[in-house]
Amino acid sequence: MSLLTDLINLNLSDTTEKIIAEYIWIGGSGMDLRSKARTLSGPVSDPSKLPKWNYDGSSTGQAPGEDSEVILYPQAIFKDPFRRGSNILVICDAYTPAGEPIPTNKRAAAAKIFSHPKVVAEVPWYGLEQEYTLLKKDVHWPLGWPTGGFPGPQGPYYCGIGADKAFGRDIVDSHYKACLYAGVNISGINGEVMPGQWEFQVGPSVGISAGDELWVARYILERITEIAGVVVSFDPKPIPGDWNGAGCHTNYSTKSMRNPGGYEIIKKAIDKLGLRHKEHIAAYGEGNERRLTGRHETADINTFLWGVANRGASIRVGRDTEKEGKGYFEDRRPASNMDPYVVTSMVAETTILL
């Protein structure tokens, strides 16, 4: 008699050329990932060869009930680490039946910026540091914390080792390998300052692919925590008080910044970012004011400042960049729940097009 795990792990290629494509999109809140699956006649590697699909937008907060059909446009394909074989995950964005991006489709606007000739010529690279917190499902309290209580103060948990310092490593390592399997350019993981909090890094990725890869990495993490019976939180300040918040630091460089003399280009770009500080903060994630307090390795939300190796600044420039006279910088303002399409394209727009 087959076990449920046997059936889940069936290798479809033994009996059919058909594959399963999991279509993934972002719901009405801007952070709620949705997905559904369909059967295709055979393997597909080019998203333009995939059929468009539709869903009930009235059930995701993206369309009225009397005109609820929203159309999914496939945009990026990744290998499916859950079904494996030739099965795929498909990152999609959403449009009206008339072909207009719906208001919550942030990818379409980002794609326009990234396709601008000046932006294309600068080959913008991104490295996104996604922090998140693992919570117990029934009480929504961080993993490893006494229920309703608090652990010892921060200090031993950052990159910590041991059962009293690292909580949820099995989930974190599963996610790391699943992302590599899927084809996500995940470059590392580490335990964060607050216990129960972790980080993974995506990049360096060019242009719109940074957003696609971060979103599919978030999807994979949500699926793995679903299996583990744990909740993942992208709240920028999950626990009030003397605990670190959660951000999504955005490392960025252009071709000009990476070439000799790039440090001067970096400084000019940072000046441009300072002039649009309020606009960027407004687009950098909900609840970020609870995190950007000037404490816990942040600059105050109303203050823009930059510095070399300063983790309390809005923008940090690395020592190597200063020494070599070229390289990249880190925008430390984005919250953990930021939309990577919005943040990456806005940084490119401000530094290259304005």
Side-chain angles (χ1 to χ4, degrees), residues 7 15 33 42 45 77-79 98 123 128 149 151 153 197 201 204 209 237 261 265 267 270 284 292 301 323 340:
L7 297 172
T15 57
L33 283 161
S45 58
I77 291 175
F78 297 87
K79 293 178 66 177
V123 195
L128 305 177
Q197 192 178 74
Q201 301 94 32
S209 64
K237 187 72 174 180
I265 306 296
K267 288 190 283 188
I270 292 173
Y284 274 16
L292 296 180
I301 194 168
K323 181 180 177 180

Side-chain angles (χ1 to χ4, degrees), residues 129-153:
E129 303 176 28
Q130 177 69 71
E131 295 179 340
Y132 61 94
T133 308
L134 297 174
L135 307 176
K136 301 172 189 176
K137 185 178 69 164
D138 296 330
V139 293
H140 277 231
W141 199 240
L143 213 62
W145 292 38
T147 301
F150 296 88

Side-chain angles (χ1 to χ4, degrees), residues 158-193:
Y158 173 71
C159 297
I161 312 297
D164 58 345
K165 303 178 193 72
F167 311 107
R169 192 183 295 277
D170 53 346
I171 292 170
V172 174
D173 273 352
S174 297
H175 175 252
Y176 194 179
K177 288 188 174 181
C179 283
L180 287 171
Y181 178 94
V184 174
N185 191 23
I186 186 169
S187 49
I189 58 167
N190 61 268
E192 265 305 328
V193 177

Side-chain angles (χ1 to χ4, degrees), residues 4-289:
L4 190 59
T5 52
D6 295 330
L7 297 172
I8 290 173
N9 293 324
L10 274 177
N11 185 351
L12 297 180
S13 63
D14 290 342
T15 57
T16 180
E17 292 183 357
K18 293 180 179 179
I19 68 157
I20 301 171
E22 190 79 25
Y23 279 46
I24 302 164
W25 72 97
I26 302 155
S29 75
M31 275 303 290
D32 56 318
L33 283 161
R34 311 281 180 138
S35 75
K36 61 178 183 173
R38 67 182 298 163
T39 304
L40 302 176
S41 59
V44 180
S45 58
D46 181 352
S48 68
K49 304 296 184 185
L50 288 168
K52 295 173 184 176
W53 206 6
N54 64 75
Y55 67 93
D56 172 15
S58 69
S59 295
T60 64
Q62 293 173 296
E66 65 273 13
D67 187 16
S68 65
E69 189 170 284
V70 181
I71 312 302
L72 291 171
Y73 286 32
Q75 299 291 358
I77 291 175
F78 297 87
K79 293 178 66 177
D80 187 339
F82 303 102
R83 295 188 177 106
R84 287 166 287 193
S86 297
N87 302 302
I88 54 176
L89 304 177
V90 184
I91 290 290
C92 305
D93 58 355
Y95 295 78
T96 67
E100 295 296 320
I102 66 171
T104 54
N105 179 354
K106 306 303 182 184
R107 191 187 190 281
K112 286 184 179 179
I113 291 171
F114 284 121
S115 63
H116 191 286
K118 288 184 179 179
V119 177
V120 172
E122 283 290 353
V123 195
W125 288 4
Y126 297 90
L128 305 177
E129 303 176 28
Q130 177 69 71
E131 295 179 340
Y132 61 94
T133 308
L134 297 174
L135 307 176
K136 301 172 189 176
K137 185 178 69 164
D138 296 330
V139 293
H140 277 231
W141 199 240
L143 213 62
W145 292 38
T147 301
F150 296 88
Q154 295 180 156
Y157 309 107
Y158 173 71
C159 297
I161 312 297
D164 58 345
K165 303 178 193 72
F167 311 107
R169 192 183 295 277
D170 53 346
I171 292 170
V172 174
D173 273 352
S174 297
H175 175 252
Y176 194 179
K177 288 188 174 181
C179 283
L180 287 171
Y181 178 94
V184 174
N185 191 23
I186 186 169
S187 49
I189 58 167
N190 61 268
E192 265 305 328
V193 177
M194 190 182 82
Q197 192 178 74
W198 295 83
E199 174 183 299
F200 67 88
Q201 301 94 32
V202 166
S205 302
V206 178
I208 197 77
S209 64
D212 291 338
E213 291 182 28
L214 189 67
W215 273 117
V216 82
R218 284 174 172 176
Y219 172 85
I220 292 169
L221 181 58
E222 292 261 21
R223 286 285 306 275
I224 290 172
T225 53
E226 173 191 321
I227 294 166
V230 170
V231 173
V232 58
S233 170
F234 296 105
D235 190 290
K237 187 72 174 180
I239 304 295
D242 196 20
W243 304 98
N244 270 39
C248 192
H249 300 157
T250 299
N251 299 279
Y252 171 71
S253 71
T254 63
K255 186 177 181 181
S256 298
M257 295 175 192
R258 296 187 293 270
N259 286 337
Y263 193 34
E264 293 305 313
I265 306 296
I266 287 173
K267 288 190 283 188
K268 290 177 183 177
I270 292 173
D271 288 342
K272 290 181 179 181
L273 289 170
L275 294 174
R276 295 189 77 201
H277 178 62
K278 287 186 178 179
E279 292 91 333
H280 278 255
I281 287 294
Y284 274 16
E286 293 294 323
N288 210 10
E289 71 282 353

Side-chain angles (χ1 to χ4, degrees), residues 317-338:
V317 174
R319 292 280 183 208
D320 287 346
T321 295
E322 181 189 41
K323 181 180 177 180
E324 295 176 13
K326 61 181 181 178
Y328 71 97
F329 64 82
E330 175 190 45
D331 190 339
R332 297 179 60 80
R333 298 172 294 172
S336 50
N337 60 0
M338 64 82 147

